[in-house]
């Protein structure tokens, strides 16, 4: 292993995701194993600019593996998008002799890391931390499994009341640009229909499903809608259905930020642990400007450029099966 890197900085950035703490813990413990010093950078790029940096050691990350959120906090930073902001961030790192970075976040975080690395030559490894699962270069992102389990739990509870009252429920889950959360939640909760940003024409098929239900006087149904679907989210879908079927007792539930919180699932903790450790080992092995991920059970390093520009597709099998399973 190369011994050039001696001091690494770790930070979380963008939206928080359950499992970020497990990743931070893995970074700190792995770095310590290889005799590196680790510095926690608080509040993402904004904190880097402001010099909110503190040495963290193995014991500082005890008792956090099970906690949601991030002990390093997170933030969005407009200043980091400017050359002056990034110059100030680099000077903060120099003050602590930090010579490598681990950036935990989504594609915005990767974009900032790519530009920063190119400008100042500092090696950076990205760790995919976002509930949306929309990052190329890894089959799953940290936080996604917890988010879908939270959503499923909520839908199961709604299902009880929907069934008892013979009601139609529209449940909105997170996903502004992608339908990973909606698709898994829909399949896993046995939804009658799933609305995704990637698809069009779901409204017509929903009307067909509801017409049949109406004939059978089975008004109970659960419809999962991604917040970024093409009809304007669950409220708009429900409005359109109400206009066509005034007899339906239709209700809307927006799960919202509940999906970001909570204790990470075992899967997310294990994923975060492997990826956090592999980020440190990647830096030591000379990787830079790459995001670590797991694809087909293998640890892979994907250049930021590719991770940012390439698109991860939803499972075609799940999309095809969703209406069949809802018959
Ligand atoms: P999530 O997927 O949870 O939203 P994210 O990492 O995509 O996470 P963003 O808010 O898009 O979240 O990005 C995080 C931060 O990365 C931004 O606040 C900004 O500081 C930095 N960043 C994003 N794009 C750029 C850019 N073009 N140049 C420099 N920095 C950037």
């Amino acid at each position: 292993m190369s011994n050039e890197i001696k001091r690494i900085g770790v930070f979380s950035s963008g939206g928080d995701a359950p499992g970020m703490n497990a990743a931070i813990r893995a970074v700190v413990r792995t770095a310590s194993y290889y005799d590196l010093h680790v510095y926690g950078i608080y509040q993402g790029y904004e904190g880097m600019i402001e010099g909110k940096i503190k040495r963290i050691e193995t014991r500082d990350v005890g008792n956090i593996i099970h906690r949601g959120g991030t002990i390093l906090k997170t933030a969005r930073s407009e200043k980091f998008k400017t050359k002056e902001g990034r110059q100030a961030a680099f000077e903060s790192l120099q003050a602590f002799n930090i010579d490598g970075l681990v950036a935990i976040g989504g594609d915005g975080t990767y974009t900032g890391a790519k530009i920063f690395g190119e400008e100042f030559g500092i090696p950076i490894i990205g760790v995919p931390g976002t509930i949306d699962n929309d990052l190329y270069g890894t089959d799953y992102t940290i936080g996604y499994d917890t988010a879908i389990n939270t959503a499923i739990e909520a839908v199961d509870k709604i299902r009880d009341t929907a069934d008892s009252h013979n009601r139609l429920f529209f449940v909105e889950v997170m996903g502004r640009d992608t339908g990973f959360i909606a698709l898994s939640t829909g399949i896993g909760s046995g939804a009658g229909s799933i609305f995704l940003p990637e698809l069009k024409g779901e409204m017509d098929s929903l009307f067909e499903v509801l017409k049949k239900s109406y004939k059978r006087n089975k008004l109970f149904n659960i419809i999962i809608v991604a917040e970024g679907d093409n009809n304007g989210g669950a409220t708009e879908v429900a409005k359109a259905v109400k206009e066509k079927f005034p007899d339906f007792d239709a209700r809307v539930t927006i799960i919202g930020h509940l999906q970001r919180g909570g204790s990470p699932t075992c899967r997310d903790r294990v994923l975060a642990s492997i990826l956090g450790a592999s980020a440190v080992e990647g830096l030591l092995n000379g990787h830079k400007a790459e995001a670590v991920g797991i694809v087909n059970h293998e640890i892979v390093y994907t250049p930021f450029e590719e991770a940012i520009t390439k698109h991860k597709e939803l499972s075609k099998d799940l999309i095809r099966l969703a209406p069949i399973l809802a018959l």
Side-chain angles (χ1 to χ4, degrees), residues 13-15 45 75-78 80-81 86 105-112 115 129-130 132 134 176 260:
S13 165
Y45 291 123
R76 305 199 195 260
S77 172
E78 283 308 310
F80 195 78
K81 293 184 180 168
R86 294 192 294 273
D107 59 349
T109 302
Y110 287 2
T111 306
I115 296 168
T130 170
D132 292 328
D134 58 348
R176 269 196 301 269
R260 280 197 186 281

Side-chain angles (χ1 to χ4, degrees), residues 25 45 54 77-78 112 229 233 238 264 274 294 299 309 315 324:
R25 173 183 179 273
Y45 291 123
K54 209 176 91 184
S77 172
E78 283 308 310
D229 100 293
I274 297 172
I294 296 184
I299 292 163
T309 51
S315 158
I324 296 174

